[in-house]
Amino acid sequence: MNIPEPTGIVYLIDDDPFILQVHRELLGSVGLEVRSYSSSTSFLETYRPGPHECILCDLRMPQLSGLQLQAELLERGVETPIIFITGHADVATAVEAMRRGAFDYIEKPVHGQQLLDRVNAALPVSRQRYQERLQREVREARLALLTPQERRIAQWVV
């Protein structure tokens, strides 16, 4: 029995309702599940990392900017791929976003196929990072079960 591959979830964060609608329709047209947020803070209130997803985020927003959102996610240990979109590109901001691990940085106006290509490239990365995180958590849980003496022996063996 073949289990169908999940299409993925795209978290769309932008303070412009028109952009939210256009991107939601585009991404939804290829079978992606899209969850829209008009602010980074509303996104953070409900977000729980999953196995096959990416974040599509405007850089300039009131309250919490895209870079501030990225910093908060990194502090929480979240490694979900983030694709930044901006109408006000500058080199320093792009460099900072990429240095912190952004998956991509796209300037507005965004070509629809370019957006779909970048999202489709980010989703497998999300799945790989999620699997690695689960494996890391399993290893840490197993190590936590060791007695101090067993832990010393394991460190010595390594």
Side-chain angles (χ1 to χ4, degrees):
M1 180 170 128
N2 287 336
I3 298 173
E5 188 77 16
T7 57
I9 300 172
V10 178
Y11 294 94
L12 182 56
I13 308 165
D14 200 305
D15 61 328
D16 183 335
F18 177 74
I19 297 293
L20 284 176
Q21 178 185 349
V22 170
H23 289 163
R24 184 174 39 245
E25 289 175 6
L26 173 67
L27 296 164
S29 74
V30 295
L32 293 166
E33 181 180 337
V34 181
R35 298 181 187 170
S36 302
Y37 299 87
S38 59
S39 73
S40 296
T41 52
S42 63
F43 166 76
L44 284 172
E45 289 171 1
T46 61
Y47 179 67
R48 300 294 172 263
H52 202 219
E53 61 191 19
C54 72
I55 300 168
L56 190 57
C57 183
D58 188 12
L59 264 175
R60 288 192 177 184
M61 290 183 292
Q63 297 173 340
L64 197 63
S65 73
L67 286 178
Q68 291 169 319
L69 170 66
Q70 183 185 32
E72 177 63 29
L73 290 171
L74 289 172
E75 188 163 315
R76 293 180 183 190
V78 174
E79 298 175 341
T80 302
I82 300 177
I83 300 169
F84 285 114
I85 298 179
T86 185
H88 310 280
D90 66 81
V91 174
T93 304
V95 168
E96 181 65 20
M98 299 306 283
R99 187 184 64 75
R100 290 183 184 177
F103 185 78
D104 211 337
Y105 187 95
I106 304 172
E107 288 185 74
K108 291 179 184 176
V110 178
H111 183 269
Q113 190 59 52
Q114 177 191 22
L115 184 62
L116 291 173
D117 291 345
R118 299 317 303 148
V119 166
N120 284 325
L123 291 172
V125 171
S126 171
R127 173 163 289 177
Q128 179 183 355
R129 289 178 182 175
Y130 187 81
Q131 291 300 322
E132 289 169 356
R133 190 178 111 228
L134 290 179
Q135 291 170 354
R136 194 169 46 248
E137 288 173 358
V138 167
R139 277 192 310 271
E140 290 170 1
R142 287 180 179 163
L143 287 172
L145 295 174
L146 297 176
T147 66
Q149 178 66 20
E150 291 169 330
R151 208 170 294 130
R152 281 192 297 274
I153 292 170
Q155 287 173 342
W156 181 77
V157 170
V158 171

